[in-house]
Amino acid sequence: MRPEKDFFDILQAVTVDCKDNGECFTVADRVAVIERLLEGSVYRLVARESLVLLYAKHALREGDRVLLVSSHIDCLYGKCFCGDEGDCLRGTFDNSLTNAALLWDMLNDTLPDNVVVAFTGNEESDSQGAVQTVVALGRMGCEVAAALVLDVTNEGWESGALFTLENDLGIDILTGYNIVSSLERYDGRFAFKHNALPDESWDYSEYGIPSLTLCVPVDGELHSDAGVMLRKESVQEYCNVLAHIAGVLC
């Protein structure tokens, strides 16, 4: 089976409703799908808070230095869907799209061993899932080397970008250089925006965690029930570059 088909299956599965009231999930369909998909994988659930699921390959210990990869699972849609339109997919992909990419990498074991994955709620409102993530990792005594936040964006769509780098907050010059120079093969196919729209990177950076957002360009109103368009060619490259940048940040 081709990776694209595997990804599409995952995307269809996670493009279901997930909402919260700022304190806990009130609609948890996507939570249930994520837990089901990761059963039997190399990842284990290391913490469950009211607005976040934290996964890692091993039990976390005090003093562990980890890379946080964060993808919010809450959405604002009245109805979720995912459809095939030839060279593109159309659907309510904010933020099931990066949920699926992250799950694809987890299930194919492409991420570094020290990655902690956070599936967070409340990003579309007050980012309390991100706050709970920081508190939980602090409680376990972990040192967070950096946070790689995943989201969708309208940036880069017109230029045909496969992915974008946004909101680099607290990333040192050497690390930034290493990331950009390692992406030479994507010359002209990715976009960079230092100050983009707020996302969880802003929240993690407030706790002193160097943060960067890796986004998938889509076309359309992000929160519209009509959905957005995604170029199929972006799918595998986004999964690949997610694992690649995680490796650089480690």
Side-chain angles (χ1 to χ4, degrees):
M1 185 178 290
R2 296 177 304 164
E4 297 94 328
K5 184 63 167 62
D6 291 339
F7 177 90
F8 186 62
D9 290 343
I10 296 170
L11 180 59
Q12 284 186 310
V14 296
T15 305
V16 293
D17 206 4
C18 188
K19 291 184 172 62
D20 64 78
N21 59 10
E23 297 180 356
C24 63
F25 290 111
T26 56
V27 180
D29 297 356
R30 196 174 305 180
V31 174
V33 170
I34 289 169
E35 291 184 293
R36 175 176 57 81
L37 288 173
L38 290 174
E39 286 180 0
S41 75
V42 297
Y43 285 85
R44 64 172 71 183
L45 185 65
V46 294
R48 178 194 295 273
E49 306 295 331
S50 62
L51 287 170
V52 65
L53 299 176
L54 284 182
Y55 282 91
K57 291 183 181 179
H58 54 77
L60 299 179
R61 306 176 185 86
E62 185 172 357
D64 280 351
R65 181 177 172 84
V66 302
L67 171 66
L68 174 63
V69 180
S70 184
S71 179
H72 78 86
I73 59 178
D74 58 309
C75 70
L76 297 177
Y77 304 111
K79 183 178 181 180
C80 298
F81 75 96
C82 174
D84 192 330
E85 298 195 2
D87 291 335
C88 291
L89 302 175
R90 177 183 288 277
T92 47
F93 294 147
D94 186 6
N95 187 32
S96 65
L97 184 52
T98 77
N99 301 160
L102 183 50
L103 285 164
W104 191 94
D105 278 338
M106 294 170 75
L107 292 169
N108 286 280
D109 196 14
T110 66
L111 299 173
D113 289 343
N114 70 329
V115 162
V116 173
V117 171
F119 292 107
T120 61
N122 196 237
E123 189 272 351
E124 299 290 5
S125 181
D126 298 316
S127 291
Q128 288 303 304
V131 173
Q132 289 185 5
T133 296
V134 174
V135 171
L137 290 173
R139 186 172 62 241
M140 289 183 277
C142 295
E143 176 189 354
V144 183
L148 181 60
V149 173
L150 313 180
D151 215 333
V152 294
T153 184
N154 291 135
E155 298 289 340
W157 175 265
E158 294 296 331
S159 65
L162 298 170
F163 59 90
T164 70
L165 300 175
E166 304 181 9
N167 290 331
D168 58 310
L169 301 169
I171 301 292
D172 65 81
I173 294 176
L174 179 58
T175 300
Y177 172 81
N178 288 339
I179 291 172
V180 173
S181 62
S182 72
L183 297 174
E184 289 183 355
R185 67 182 182 276
Y186 294 109
D187 183 36
R189 295 305 308 274
F190 74 94
F192 173 77
K193 188 165 186 177
H194 174 62
N195 290 312
L197 292 173
D199 56 39
E200 289 180 328
S201 64
W202 291 32
D203 301 283
Y204 292 127
S205 69
E206 288 184 358
Y207 288 88
I209 300 171
S211 303
L212 175 69
T213 304
L214 174 65
C215 291
V216 187
V218 296
D219 184 37
E221 171 54 47
L222 297 181
H223 299 150
S224 170
D225 283 355
V228 295
M229 297 292 285
L230 162 71
R231 293 186 179 96
K232 287 182 180 177
E233 65 171 334
S234 297
V235 168
Q236 192 59 55
E237 293 301 338
Y238 184 79
C239 294
N240 293 344
V241 81
L242 164 55
H244 171 76
I245 291 179
V248 175
L249 289 173
C250 283

